[in-house]
Amino acid sequence: MKSLITEEQRSQLIANGRARATGQNLDPQPVVKLFTPDAHASWLLAALDPEDGDTAYGLRDLGLGMPEEGTVRLSELATIVGPLKQPVERDLYFVPTRTLSEYTRLAQRNGSIID
């Protein structure tokens, strides 16, 4: 099974997750963008639970016009396939330009994640 995130991204996500778990006021830029090429869903992930290494926190956009911050398990994302049987992929060209809260504010105003 192909990994959704690189080891470098995992390290950064866990570092952000540790800061979040200790109550630090953290508003990082997303580390990775995942998406379904055939189902209009996207996830901008900013932190990973350092205890389980599977529960990610970020902005979720399931293509329903109601993006929100929350958690998702990487193991669950790895099992998702869209209507054309395409799996979730990592956006290899994603370079964050805003903090997670700014992406969230814009996505909620526009009804979807915008780059």
Side-chain angles (χ1 to χ4, degrees), residues 42-45 58-63 66-72 113:
S42 299
W43 298 265
L44 295 180
L45 304 180
L59 176 59
R60 308 176 298 193
D61 180 359
L62 302 181
M66 298 178 295
E68 64 181 357
E69 287 187 23
T71 59
V72 64
I113 294 173

Side-chain angles (χ1 to χ4, degrees), residues 33-111:
K33 178 180 181 182
L34 304 176
F35 69 101
T36 54
D38 61 346
H40 307 292
S42 299
W43 298 265
L44 295 180
L45 304 180
L48 191 60
D49 184 322
E51 295 298 316
D52 70 16
D54 188 40
T55 304
Y57 180 82
L59 176 59
R60 308 176 298 193
D61 180 359
L62 302 181
L64 304 172
M66 298 178 295
E68 64 181 357
E69 287 187 23
T71 59
V72 64
R73 296 181 71 79
L74 293 175
S75 58
E76 290 177 6
L77 289 178
T79 66
I80 294 174
V81 294
L84 300 177
K85 306 297 182 214
Q86 293 185 357
V88 172
E89 295 183 18
R90 178 177 60 246
D91 185 338
L92 301 177
Y93 303 101
F94 175 70
V95 177
T97 58
R98 303 172 178 89
T99 63
L100 182 64
S101 66
E102 185 66 7
Y103 275 108
T104 300
R105 185 184 68 76
L106 292 171
Q108 289 176 339
R109 184 176 76 194
N110 292 294

